[in-house]
Amino acid sequence: MFAIDSLLVKIALIGVIGLSAQWIAWRTGRPAIALMLIAGIVAGPMLGLIDPERDFGALREPIIKLAVAVILFEGGLSLKFRELRQAGTAVLMLVFIGVPLGWALGTAAAYYGAGLPLELAALFGGVMVVTGPTVIAPLLRSLNVPPRVKHMLKWEAIVNDPIGALIAVGVFSYMTHGGGATASNIVIDVVAASLLAILIGVAAGFALTTAYLRGWIPEYLKAPILLTSVIAVFVLSDIIMHETGLITVTVMGVVMANRETYSSHMLRRFKEDLTILLVSGVFIILSATLDWQVVQNFQLRFLLFLLLLLFVVRPLTIMTALLFTRIPFRERLFVAWVAPRGIVAVAVTGLFALRLTDYGVPGAEALVPLGFGVVIVTIFAHGFTAGALARQLGLDRGKGDGVLLVGANSWTIAFAQFVKSQGRQVLIADEDKLALRRARRAEIPVYHGNILDEAHDDEIELAQFRQLIAATGSDSYNALVCSELAPEIGPERVSRTGGQSRLKGLRRGRAFTLAGTPIEELLDRLQAGWTFGRTRITEKFTYDEFVARMKANGGDSLAVAKASGELLIFSTERRPHVDAEDVIWTFVPPEVAPTASRSAGAPRTEETAAER
């Protein structure tokens, strides 16, 4: 009983430590992968709170393998073929040229730099072609770089993971079969097993999506059956040949990502939540596995390999693979630098190190410290410099400061003009082409389509928008938009214009403006000559004086642009804290506007005399 209780404590501790590291990363803006690595090392070899080998025993390896399988499936579930319209050629080059070239260069670096025997160097070089969604996804989440760059890194990480593992499988088979099998026979076996794994993944993906579409599975069982199916097909493929299960789950995820199931959004959200938990847990377990004996086995000559990997192998591989593409040089340079290794690299390296040591292969004991060295160095080197490099190359678009308006009408178009005049991004999304024509004439960026479908399908980059305001003529649709996109953007960043139904609930979006003014009334006010303005709060003109003035003239407070650049919305549920030097956006009657003539609704960026 005590042992069971102790194991439960360790599992809870791993969860708390992993998620705490992710939360601290979110609060501080530091790379989550680096903080999780530090947390695992502190909890493991430094403090001895967690010892995976002692605590989990024989369960450690299957736990990690199943977790990696689910993570790779979730990664495949995020791969949309439409993304290849921007990065398709580049992805093909990274796979078909980058992988063999990276393998050859990595093998040479391990042989000449780390001093590994040639066969071990070939195995380790194969593992090093992987980057992995477990480290790329948290890193990309903290960066706001162009979509093409994200797509290249994401596709490369997810597609190359199983390929790198299979290269290692092939080399391992050659090493352990001795003279009993030729290289060509091993290649044929690996290719045949890989093709079978692909077929299993395609069949599983089509079978599940078909079952979902035809209503053969009730809604409450869809997520559990999906998770069980992922584990089942992974184990089935892995029985056929080790590590081919990684191909199966990746292909299964890609198939399901590109077939509509009417439950895709719910399933993806479930898998994302589960993946965050698994990434946190597995990273803590793997970093806690690092013991002082492994550290002592790390030799100075390994440093040469790490330098070659960072500054020669990766840059030369990417720059060569993308040489004849139309990818801008600065984007190629960024991709050439960003290549952190994570769970798959450590797990596969550790797995083959144990097996080769059992076979008595000389030098196999060097793989574990070398693998951990690569993970630690690349996580810190790339995790802490990716943001700075993106800024230096002009790829960092900063924190999203824009406003996404759902619904094209006279009021949203006028407000969009005002937002644009304040130097912020703005986008109007609507399904009505005719309504969007007026916005285009006003030179406002527009998106034609259903915001719910396009945002979930990554057609619209939600990261570039600080606030979403649903302002269509339908109260129910506005509430639905806020409810669906709140998990994507954040419930504090979605609002909707008030309606006669007065729908309640934060998850349905806060009622925009302090009075919760309905869109019909906003349109009437615009027609009556109301205009948009801005008021800067100062030491002389305080916020209390501003509130008193607005009560007197009957105007609406819309938002406050903080001195830090953050944009906060006024709503019936929340009045943001306003400090000196903050600027408040207002919607005021014509008698408050300056006497200079202007058309109704034209954006007004200067402060009125009364407001100064």
Side-chain angles (χ1 to χ4, degrees), residues 345-564:
V346 173
V348 173
T349 301
L351 177 66
F352 286 116
L354 290 173
R355 293 176 181 174
L356 290 171
T357 301
D358 292 339
Y359 273 96
V361 176
E365 67 280 355
L367 292 181
V368 173
L370 191 55
F372 267 109
V374 169
V375 170
I376 293 171
V377 169
T378 56
I379 283 178
F380 279 93
H382 301 144
F384 283 102
T385 62
L389 180 61
R391 288 189 291 272
Q392 288 293 323
L393 295 175
L395 297 175
D396 182 21
R397 297 180 296 178
K399 291 184 177 180
D401 66 349
V403 178
L404 174 58
L405 298 170
V406 181
N409 52 58
S410 299
W411 188 88
T412 56
I413 292 171
F415 184 50
Q417 288 180 285
F418 174 77
V419 173
K420 186 178 178 181
S421 72
Q422 302 306 300
R424 292 180 181 265
Q425 287 184 305
V426 65
L427 179 73
I428 296 179
D430 202 304
E431 292 185 281
D432 188 343
K433 281 187 177 181
L434 293 178
L436 289 177
R437 285 177 61 184
R438 290 182 294 162
R440 288 193 182 97
R441 292 196 196 102
E443 299 182 345
I444 300 299
V446 301
Y447 192 90
H448 176 238
N450 188 328
I451 184 65
L452 297 177
D453 293 335
E454 308 309 332
H456 282 305
D457 291 339
D458 298 326
E459 287 288 315
I460 297 177
E461 286 189 88
L462 296 179
Q464 63 184 312
F465 299 107
R466 185 63 193 171
Q467 295 288 346
L468 178 147
I469 301 172
T472 71
S474 170
D475 299 342
S476 298
Y477 183 72
N478 292 341
L480 178 63
V481 167
C482 293
S483 176
E484 286 291 308
L485 297 186
E488 308 281 341
I489 301 178
E492 75 284 356
R493 294 166 56 187
V494 295
S495 308
R496 56 180 169 79
T497 52
Q500 300 303 321
S501 59
R502 293 292 191 269
L503 295 169
K504 300 294 183 182
L506 184 59
R507 72 182 186 88
R508 295 180 175 181
R510 295 174 297 185
F512 183 53
T513 76
L514 287 176
T517 313
I519 186 63
E520 298 84 3
E521 190 171 338
L522 290 174
L523 289 168
D524 290 342
R525 290 178 177 182
L526 185 71
Q527 189 66 30
W530 283 50
T531 53
F532 298 97
R534 62 194 294 272
T535 301
R536 184 179 300 277
I537 302 301
T538 65
E539 298 293 341
K540 293 183 178 180
F541 185 74
T542 65
Y543 179 60
D544 289 338
E545 292 177 285
F546 166 81
V547 171
R549 188 64 55 87
M550 291 297 287
K551 285 183 178 179
N553 63 44
D556 256 347
S557 297
L558 305 180
V560 54
K562 304 289 289 182
S564 62

Side-chain angles (χ1 to χ4, degrees), residues 167-403:
I167 291 174
V169 168
V171 176
F172 173 79
S173 299
Y174 178 78
M175 294 174 66
T176 54
H177 278 80
T182 63
S184 59
N185 289 337
I186 292 173
V187 170
I188 292 173
D189 288 344
V190 171
V191 171
S194 301
L195 291 176
L196 184 56
I198 290 173
L199 289 176
I200 293 174
V202 171
F206 270 92
L208 269 181
T209 50
T210 301
Y212 288 169
L213 285 170
R214 297 188 178 182
W216 294 344
I217 301 175
E219 202 68 25
Y220 73 95
L221 283 180
K222 285 183 178 179
I225 286 178
L226 177 61
L227 179 59
T228 304
S229 300
V230 170
I231 295 174
V233 297
F234 171 78
V235 173
L236 175 62
S237 294
D238 224 42
I239 290 173
I240 297 171
M241 176 175 279
H242 285 301
E243 314 311 327
T244 55
L246 299 178
I247 292 181
T248 298
V249 294
T250 303
V251 171
M252 180 180 172
V254 173
V255 170
M256 296 192 67
N258 291 278
R259 293 197 78 203
E260 181 56 64
T261 63
Y262 304 116
S263 298
S264 299
H265 308 330
M266 179 272 292
L267 293 175
R268 189 181 68 172
R269 194 169 298 155
F270 167 76
K271 303 304 290 183
E272 286 176 348
D273 293 343
L274 182 60
T275 299
I276 288 174
L277 288 171
L278 293 176
V279 168
S280 303
V282 173
F283 239 98
I284 297 300
I285 291 174
L286 287 176
S287 52
T289 303
L290 184 66
D291 57 30
W292 297 120
Q293 185 63 40
V294 172
V295 174
Q296 291 169 5
N297 287 336
F298 188 88
Q299 303 172 33
L300 289 178
R301 61 192 170 94
F302 293 169
L303 294 176
L304 178 58
F305 168 77
L306 296 175
L307 292 174
L308 289 172
L309 187 68
L310 288 174
F311 299 106
V312 177
V313 175
R314 174 68 178 183
L316 188 58
T317 298
I318 299 303
M319 299 305 283
T320 303
L322 300 180
L323 183 61
F324 298 106
T325 65
R326 296 182 179 180
I327 304 299
F329 178 77
R330 58 178 185 167
E331 294 184 8
R332 279 184 267 170
L333 193 60
F334 183 78
V335 174
W337 172 246
V338 177
R341 274 67 171 186
I343 289 173
V344 173
V346 173
V348 173
T349 301
L351 177 66
F352 286 116
L354 290 173
R355 293 176 181 174
L356 290 171
T357 301
D358 292 339
Y359 273 96
V361 176
E365 67 280 355
L367 292 181
V368 173
L370 191 55
F372 267 109
V374 169
V375 170
I376 293 171
V377 169
T378 56
I379 283 178
F380 279 93
H382 301 144
F384 283 102
T385 62
L389 180 61
R391 288 189 291 272
Q392 288 293 323
L393 295 175
L395 297 175
D396 182 21
R397 297 180 296 178
K399 291 184 177 180
D401 66 349
V403 178

Side-chain angles (χ1 to χ4, degrees), residues 3-22:
I4 295 176
D5 291 343
S6 177
L7 182 58
L8 289 176
V9 170
K10 296 301 174 67
I11 293 173
L13 186 60
I14 289 171
V16 170
I17 293 173
L19 292 180
S20 297
Q22 294 238 29

